[in-house]
Amino acid sequence: MQTVFSIAVDALAYGMVLFVISIGLSVTMGLMRVVNLAHGAFAMIGGYIASYAARDLGLGYGIALMIAVFGTIVIAIPIERLLYRRIYGAPELTQVLMTIGITFCIIGIANYVFGPTLKTIPLPSRLQGSVDLGFRSIATHRLFAILCGLAVAAALWYAIEKTAFGVKLRAAVDNAAMAAALGVRTEIVYAVSFAIAVGLAALGGVLGAELLPVEPYYALRYMVTFLVVVSVGGAGSIPGALVACLLLGGIDTAGRYLMPEFGEFFFYLAVIAIVCVFPRGLAGRTR
């Protein structure tokens, strides 16, 4: 039972970290219709900034987290303005080539500025211990990641489904020309959506540093993982992304605990099976 509980807790924490990082990619792919292969690079930037703020500047974890999120957004705004706007509505191959180029540029710049070494983000004492549940204890940082994932899911669903901004975003996706004719400033809507997606990537990069180490080729190492999660959940679907992250996180964690010699075999086997049954993902949107 202890092994089962450990698998469940680690799977839930891992799934929530995947969700926080990947949900921004789901928004850009499903709602903005942009295949953004550089999404993981922004998560890496967040991790690098947080590591520098916490280790080199001696700032607290919470402050480092906020600096990482807002710093990544500030870096991403001119990139969106100068590069991404050129590929909105462009063929998917063009988007792939542009964003993979951005990924390699970010990796090169990050390694030049911060050095090609593994970056750690020191946890505060409040997140280093464990919480006693009576029958079992759970690492505080794992619990914190889980709660952050749930909060992000609820907040993002509310923003897209229940607010005026969400209405404008969905209108711009369905028919950008008509939305613009009705007074919706589609460029601003897309820019804000992109900033939110990038901010969530940075948040996930920091929260998940214990599970997905921040290293020089982070953006390439986890690129396929993030894309797979979005594909399985269905691009643009928050509930679908959440279910996909929890499901795949559980399968991957269980496989690593019970049969570590197989690596990620069961993870990708599950992906193949799900995509065969649900070609558009568990809750995919029709185009």
Side-chain angles (χ1 to χ4, degrees):
M1 287 301 296
Q2 289 184 351
T3 301
V4 172
F5 185 80
S6 296
I7 292 174
V9 170
D10 286 349
L12 187 56
Y14 179 52
M16 283 302 181
V17 168
L18 280 181
F19 172 77
V20 174
I21 298 175
S22 302
I23 189 58
L25 179 59
S26 182
V27 169
T28 55
M29 287 184 63
L31 297 181
M32 298 172 64
R33 309 286 168 80
V34 176
V35 183
N36 183 17
L37 297 187
H39 189 77
F42 293 110
M44 184 184 75
I45 290 174
Y48 270 58
I49 293 176
S51 177
Y52 177 77
R55 294 185 60 198
D56 298 331
L57 300 183
L59 301 177
Y61 183 83
I63 297 177
L65 179 62
M66 290 188 289
I67 291 176
V69 172
F70 289 108
T72 304
I73 292 175
V74 169
I75 292 172
I77 287 176
I79 297 177
E80 190 275 339
R81 175 77 177 181
L82 298 174
L83 299 178
Y84 278 87
R85 289 194 184 183
R86 300 175 183 272
I87 59 174
Y88 291 152
E92 291 180 348
L93 179 59
T94 301
Q95 296 176 352
V96 167
L97 293 175
M98 171 72 84
T99 56
I100 195 68
I102 293 173
T103 298
F104 281 106
C105 289
I106 290 176
I107 289 174
I109 294 172
N111 288 339
Y112 177 78
V113 174
F114 296 102
T117 58
L118 179 71
K119 304 301 177 184
T120 59
I121 304 173
L123 293 175
S125 57
R126 289 176 294 179
L127 295 180
Q128 290 180 357
S130 61
V131 177
D132 188 5
L133 301 179
F135 60 94
R136 192 76 166 84
S137 61
I138 176 175
T140 306
H141 179 259
R142 297 283 199 275
L143 182 61
F144 179 67
I146 292 169
L147 294 177
C148 285
L150 293 173
V152 167
L156 197 57
W157 176 85
Y158 183 84
I160 292 177
E161 300 293 338
K162 300 294 183 180
T163 66
F165 173 78
V167 172
K168 292 178 181 179
L169 174 59
R170 286 181 279 119
V173 168
D174 291 337
N175 192 323
M178 181 61 70
L182 294 174
V184 177
R185 301 184 64 180
T186 56
E187 290 186 355
I188 293 180
V189 170
Y190 282 152
V192 173
S193 301
F194 185 82
I196 293 173
V198 166
L200 290 174
L203 175 63
V206 178
L207 291 177
E210 296 291 313
L211 299 170
L212 304 176
V214 182
E215 43 91 13
Y217 292 95
Y218 177 101
L220 294 178
R221 184 181 299 276
Y222 301 112
M223 176 190 294
V224 174
T225 302
F226 301 148
L227 285 173
V228 160
V229 167
V230 173
S231 299
V232 170
S237 172
I238 296 173
L242 181 58
V243 171
C245 289
L246 294 178
L247 177 61
L248 295 177
I251 292 172
D252 190 36
T253 303
R256 291 178 185 276
Y257 262 89
L258 303 177
M259 287 174 282
E261 66 273 13
F262 282 86
E264 297 182 331
F265 171 78
F266 294 105
F267 178 89
Y268 288 106
L269 181 64
V271 169
I272 293 171
I274 294 172
V275 171
C276 286
V277 178
F278 302 98
R280 292 187 179 275
L282 297 174
R285 296 171 178 262
T286 57
R287 288 183 178 268

